């Protein structure tokens, strides 16, 4: 069946929960063998000019990630101490900034024009491209259009609904990683004073497995390296990550490391352009010479074969350690700083290296080559992202990374350590501020002593749990501080049903997204300032602060005039809701706190460890580093020593005709935000409904290139289906496949998640590919 036939037949067949089925004209080219360069410059210019004039775009970009500018609303990669005067941004950061600073507006006339159904029949891309929301809006029960509401009426409405609940646990408060430290702290304070720990957040869906695995083995759920460590590393392993698209500024750090002699090893089911070659767009000479080859070794592991690979490497290292004790493992480090070494070694003896290699999908000679390299090095950094965390064994994957680093003594020394690369620009800071459904005791104790109320001790709902709770009508109010909850979560139809059962859904947003279309019986959109915009409060021009992926806290100050004079900052929205909700309780003067954000930071200093002299230190050019017990090798939270761990090997069995699918981002995408329809580095243009398959699997299943197929996922007897995906031959291991999210989130079962962390297992979905009748 042709693509045009499918488009005409099914253009209104899908539910409003999913982007409509409408093919846009797939074009395939050869995947790129380099990232950055002139094409990145041209792409940046194109996206900027689509949203604003050149002057506004240029002046805005030149303030991005500068010491007295604003923090990019994109990824959480840290800023170098020496910033480039040409620009300290990347192509995808520029796209994020263009989206926020666009001159396009979603005004009252827009909402008067479109019904909910009409908005739902538009694509995610179209929704996001309409511009900035200018006014608070309400969708009343039984109505089919959003209508204007004043801020006072909105605050009154929310407070009335919250205070009408029988139990505070009937409300849930989600957070996006874009939220500043100041807003996040106020938010969790409001929520806990209200009486619940229902604080699910976006980290539940990405690096929760990292936080869990690292906390249990090293005592801290954050990475141990600093940006400077990349200058001293002997080996850098990049696992389950595509930095060229998801964290492009990381490529500059890898380039510098490579030029200093680091060996870079990429481990991933897809060979990503950014780890093949990088041409720094800010360096004309690099462009002329063709950039820098980054990856010395590429291991094309099967989807979720990483644990088997890591175990095989450790087994081979142990064989060499037995031949020359103390020459391969850092026995002094192991004795001084770790526990449970013997348990790990005993477990490794149970494995057959040949079988591990088969499960990993890597030839044993290649694994031996990597093991030999690692045997001779002691300064090793392991970087990773969702390719390790979004599996049932996601926590185990992280613990195996830690096992390898502990064996080599590669924790707490220059050039060595753990590097979970966070996605959103303050997702790590939000957790530090207390956005956590399972708060630590110190946080509750400090809140109690500082604010004289008893915070709830009962653990709240994480993301998966809150979806179930809404579905069972145990949660009646869903409040989202940023983000696109529906498109970010698993099991799209199930999640949509859950949201629609709520009495009220509230979204603090800058732009339209699908979560505004799938709503509770009543729904509110509260438009807020963006990171780039000037935040004027009663006592003047304010700044906020964020924490990057390596634990550095620094300031961010917008300078552009707001997209609308009606917009409020996130802290102001939270403070006003709190003021109205607790209008008979004056123990906290919420409005005074937002008059000058220094007041919020003074409270953070009192409640959150590591923020001594917060207002003074955050004003320094480079901010300040938070304490890190893995970096200083104290490991205090887990008894003073790091822990080796024994992790049973996970091995999925695929039946005949089944493939293991992982969801991925395109190059024109950041999380759920779709900037465009191209995936330039992979050679896929003008289409998102594609499935990347190995050519052998295509032939075996009797399919052909660009054939339109349906996909079904299979989990515990449950079958889920998405229709009309185009087959794209690609260099991916046999029995593996890749698709873009959020289009295939519908295939991710709500109950398929990582042990312990409950991170949705979006990168290990068993599917079948069905020919169209």
């Amino acid at each position: 069946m042709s693509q045009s036939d499918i488009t005409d037949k099914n253009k209104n067949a899908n539910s409003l929960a999913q982007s409509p089925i409408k093919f846009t004209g797939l074009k395939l080219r050869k995947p790129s063998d380099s990232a950055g360069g002139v094409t990145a410059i041209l792409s940046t210019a194109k996206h900027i000019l689509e949203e604003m004039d050149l002057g506004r775009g240029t002046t805005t970009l030149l303030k991005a990630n500068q010491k007295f500018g604003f923090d990019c609303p994109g990824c959480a990669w840290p800023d170098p101490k020496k910033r480039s005067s040409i620009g300290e941004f990347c192509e995808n950061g520029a796209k994020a900034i263009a989206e926020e600073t666009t001159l396009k507006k979603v005004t009252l006339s827009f909402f008067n024009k479109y019904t909910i159904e009409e908005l739902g029949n538009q694509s995610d891309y179209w929704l996001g491209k309409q511009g900035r929301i200018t006014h608070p809006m309400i969708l009343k029960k039984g109505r089919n259009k959003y209508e204007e509401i004043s801020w006072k009426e909105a605050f009154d409405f929310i407070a009335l609904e919250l205070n009408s609940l029988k139990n505070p646990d009937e409300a849930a408060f989600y957070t996006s990683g874009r939220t500043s430290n100041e807003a996040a702290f106020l938010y969790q304070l409001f929520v806990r004073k209200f009486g619940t720990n229902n604080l699910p957040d976006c980290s539940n869906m990405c690096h929760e497995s990292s936080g869990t695995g690292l906390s249990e083995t090293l005592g801290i759920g954050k990475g141990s390296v600093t940006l400077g460590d990349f200058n001293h590393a002997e080996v850098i392993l990049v696992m389950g990550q595509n930095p060229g698209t998801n964290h492009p500024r990381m490529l500059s750090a890898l380039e510098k490391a490579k030029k200093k002699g680091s060996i870079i090893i990429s481990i991933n089911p897809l060979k990503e352009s950014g780890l093949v070659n990088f041409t720094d767009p800010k360096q004309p000479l690099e462009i002329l010479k063709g950039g820098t080859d980054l990856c010395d070794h590429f291991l094309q592991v099967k989807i979720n074969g990483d644990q088997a690979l890591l175990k095989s490497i450790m087994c081979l290292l142990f064989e060499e350690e037995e031949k020359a004790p103390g020459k391969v493992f850092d026995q002094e480090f192991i004795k001084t700083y770790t526990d449970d070494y013997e348990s790990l070694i005993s477990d490794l003896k149970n494995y057959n290296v040949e079988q591990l290699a088969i499960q990993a999908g890597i030839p044993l000679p290649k694994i031996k080559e990597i093991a030999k390299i690692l045997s001779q090095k002691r300064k090793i950094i392991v970087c990773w992202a969702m390719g390790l965390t979004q599996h049932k064994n996601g926590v185990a994957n992280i613990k195996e990374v830690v096992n390898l680093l502990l064996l080599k003594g590669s924790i707490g020394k220059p050039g060595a350590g753990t590097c979970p690369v966070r996605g959103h620009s303050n997702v790590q800071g939000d957790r530090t501020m207390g956005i956590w459904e399972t708060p630590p005791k110190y946080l509750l104790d400090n809140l109690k002593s500082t604010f004289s109320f008893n915070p709830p001790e009962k653990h709240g709902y994480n993301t998966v749990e809150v979806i179930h709770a809404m579905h069972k009508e145990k949660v009646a109010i869903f409040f989202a501080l940023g983000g696109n909850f529906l498109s970010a979560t698993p099991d799209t139809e199930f999640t949509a049903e859950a949201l629609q059962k709520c009495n009220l859904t509230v979204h603090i947003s800058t732009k339209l997204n699908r979560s505004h279309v799938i709503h509770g019986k009543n729904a509110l959109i509260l438009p807020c300032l963006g990171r780039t915009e000037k935040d004027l409060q009663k006592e003047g021009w304010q700044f906020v602060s964020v924490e990057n992926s390596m634990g550095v806290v620094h300031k961010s100050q917008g300078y552009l005039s707001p997209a609308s004079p009606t917009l409020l900052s996130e802290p102001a929205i939270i403070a006003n809701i709190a003021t109205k909700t607790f209008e008979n309780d004056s123990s906290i003067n919420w409005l005074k706190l937002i008059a000058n954000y220094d007041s919020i930071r003074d409270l953070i200093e009192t409640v959150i460890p590591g923020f001594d002299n917060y207002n003074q230190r955050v004003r320094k050019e480079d901010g300040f580093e938070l304490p890190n017990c893995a970096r200083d090798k104290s490991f205090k939270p887990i008894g003073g020593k790091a822990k080796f761990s024994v992790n049973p090997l996970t091995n999925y069995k695929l039946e005949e005709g089944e493939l293991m699918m992982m969801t991925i981002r395109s190059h024109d995408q950041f999380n759920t935000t779709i900037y465009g329809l191209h995936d330039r580095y992979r050679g896929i243009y003008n289409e998102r409904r594609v499935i990347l398959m190995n050519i052998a699997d295509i032939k075996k299943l009797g399919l052909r290139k660009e054939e339109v197929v349906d996909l079904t996922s299979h989990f515990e007897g449950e079958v889920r289906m998405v229709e009309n995906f185009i087959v794209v031959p690609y260099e991916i291991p046999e029995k593996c496949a890749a698709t873009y999210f959020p289009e295939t989130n519908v295939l991710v079962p709500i109950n398929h998640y990582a042990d312990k962390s409950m991170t949705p297992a979006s990168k290990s979905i068993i599917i079948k590919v069905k020919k169209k009748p």
Side-chain angles (χ1 to χ4, degrees), residues 458-529:
K458 176 186 173 183
H459 286 178
Y461 296 129
N462 61 30
T463 294
V464 168
E465 292 168 337
V466 83
I467 294 170
H468 277 299
M470 289 188 291
H471 213 278
K472 295 175 182 177
E473 299 185 43
K474 292 182 177 180
V475 165
I477 297 176
F478 177 80
F479 194 109
L481 180 54
N484 180 1
F485 186 80
L486 176 64
S487 296
T489 46
D491 218 332
T492 307
E493 294 294 342
F494 185 86
T495 301
E497 291 171 4
L499 288 166
Q500 290 169 328
K501 291 183 178 183
C502 291
N503 291 332
L504 174 65
T505 49
V506 182
H507 293 276
I508 298 178
S509 306
T510 57
K511 304 187 77 176
L512 279 176
N513 62 55
R514 195 151 298 276
S515 294
H516 302 138
V517 177
I518 301 299
H519 51 80
K521 296 176 180 65
N522 295 284
L524 283 164
I525 302 174
L526 307 180
C528 66
L529 295 175

Side-chain angles (χ1 to χ4, degrees), residues 42 57 69 71 97 166 177 183 255 279 299 306 309 312 321 366 375 435 499 506 512 528 629 695 709 731 753 772:
L42 295 175
D71 190 62
I97 292 166
K166 295 178 181 178
E255 178 190 40
T279 302
L299 279 64
D306 306 271
L309 175 61
S312 67
E321 173 69 11
K366 185 64 178 179
S375 71
I435 302 296
L499 288 166
V506 182
L512 279 176
C528 66
C629 68
I695 187 65
V709 297
E731 186 182 341
Y753 47 73
K772 303 294 289 187

Side-chain angles (χ1 to χ4, degrees), residues 348-624:
L348 290 176
K349 292 177 180 178
N350 296 324
Y351 291 98
N352 178 286
V353 177
E354 288 79 8
Q355 289 300 316
L356 290 171
I358 292 171
Q359 187 170 333
I362 306 296
L364 184 56
K366 185 64 178 179
I367 299 177
K368 288 183 175 180
E369 183 181 4
I370 301 304
K372 182 177 180 181
I373 292 170
L374 295 176
S375 71
Q376 300 167 352
K377 307 297 182 182
R378 294 288 175 94
K379 295 181 179 181
I380 303 167
I381 292 175
V382 182
C383 308
W384 70 88
M386 305 303 93
L388 290 194
T389 64
Q390 290 182 328
H391 301 281
K392 181 174 174 55
N393 54 307
V395 174
N397 283 339
I398 306 312
K399 288 186 171 184
E400 300 291 13
V401 168
V402 173
N403 282 336
L404 174 61
L405 292 173
L406 291 179
L407 289 173
K408 297 299 299 178
S410 286
I411 295 285
K413 68 169 62 169
T418 57
C419 184
V421 184
R422 308 283 178 175
H424 222 150
S425 61
N426 197 40
V427 63
Q428 186 162 296
D430 290 347
R431 178 58 57 88
T432 302
M433 291 297 105
I435 302 296
W436 201 353
E437 74 280 0
T438 58
K441 185 177 183 299
Y442 76 78
L443 176 62
L444 300 183
D445 289 344
N446 290 349
L447 287 172
K448 181 178 181 179
S449 63
T450 302
F451 298 102
S452 301
F453 75 93
N454 292 314
E457 296 181 3
K458 176 186 173 183
H459 286 178
Y461 296 129
N462 61 30
T463 294
V464 168
E465 292 168 337
V466 83
I467 294 170
H468 277 299
M470 289 188 291
H471 213 278
K472 295 175 182 177
E473 299 185 43
K474 292 182 177 180
V475 165
I477 297 176
F478 177 80
F479 194 109
L481 180 54
N484 180 1
F485 186 80
L486 176 64
S487 296
T489 46
D491 218 332
T492 307
E493 294 294 342
F494 185 86
T495 301
E497 291 171 4
L499 288 166
Q500 290 169 328
K501 291 183 178 183
C502 291
N503 291 332
L504 174 65
T505 49
V506 182
H507 293 276
I508 298 178
S509 306
T510 57
K511 304 187 77 176
L512 279 176
N513 62 55
R514 195 151 298 276
S515 294
H516 302 138
V517 177
I518 301 299
H519 51 80
K521 296 176 180 65
N522 295 284
L524 283 164
I525 302 174
L526 307 180
C528 66
L529 295 175
R531 189 77 63 77
T532 57
E533 291 170 318
K534 183 175 288 189
D535 184 353
L536 292 175
Q537 299 298 332
K538 189 174 181 179
E539 295 184 17
W541 185 11
Q542 304 300 310
F543 69 85
V544 295
S545 55
V546 295
E547 178 185 342
N548 67 33
S549 195
M550 295 179 185
V552 175
V553 178
H554 60 93
K555 65 182 291 190
S556 173
Q557 190 164 34
Y559 81 101
L560 290 174
S561 296
S564 164
T566 314
L567 302 183
L568 296 180
S569 71
E570 289 179 328
I573 294 172
I574 297 162
N576 276 280
I577 293 172
T579 297
K580 187 61 182 179
T581 303
F582 306 125
E583 63 181 347
N584 296 322
D585 179 354
S586 60
S587 58
I588 299 174
N589 189 334
W590 301 91
L591 298 183
K592 184 177 180 181
L593 290 177
I594 61 166
N596 186 328
Y597 295 171
D598 280 359
S599 300
I600 304 174
R601 287 185 285 270
D602 285 340
L603 293 175
I604 293 172
E605 179 179 334
T606 302
V607 174
I608 309 297
F611 284 81
D612 300 337
N613 301 315
Y614 191 3
N615 273 309
Q616 291 73 38
R617 291 197 292 161
V618 78
R619 284 175 163 84
K620 294 181 178 179
E621 285 190 358
D622 297 308
F624 61 94

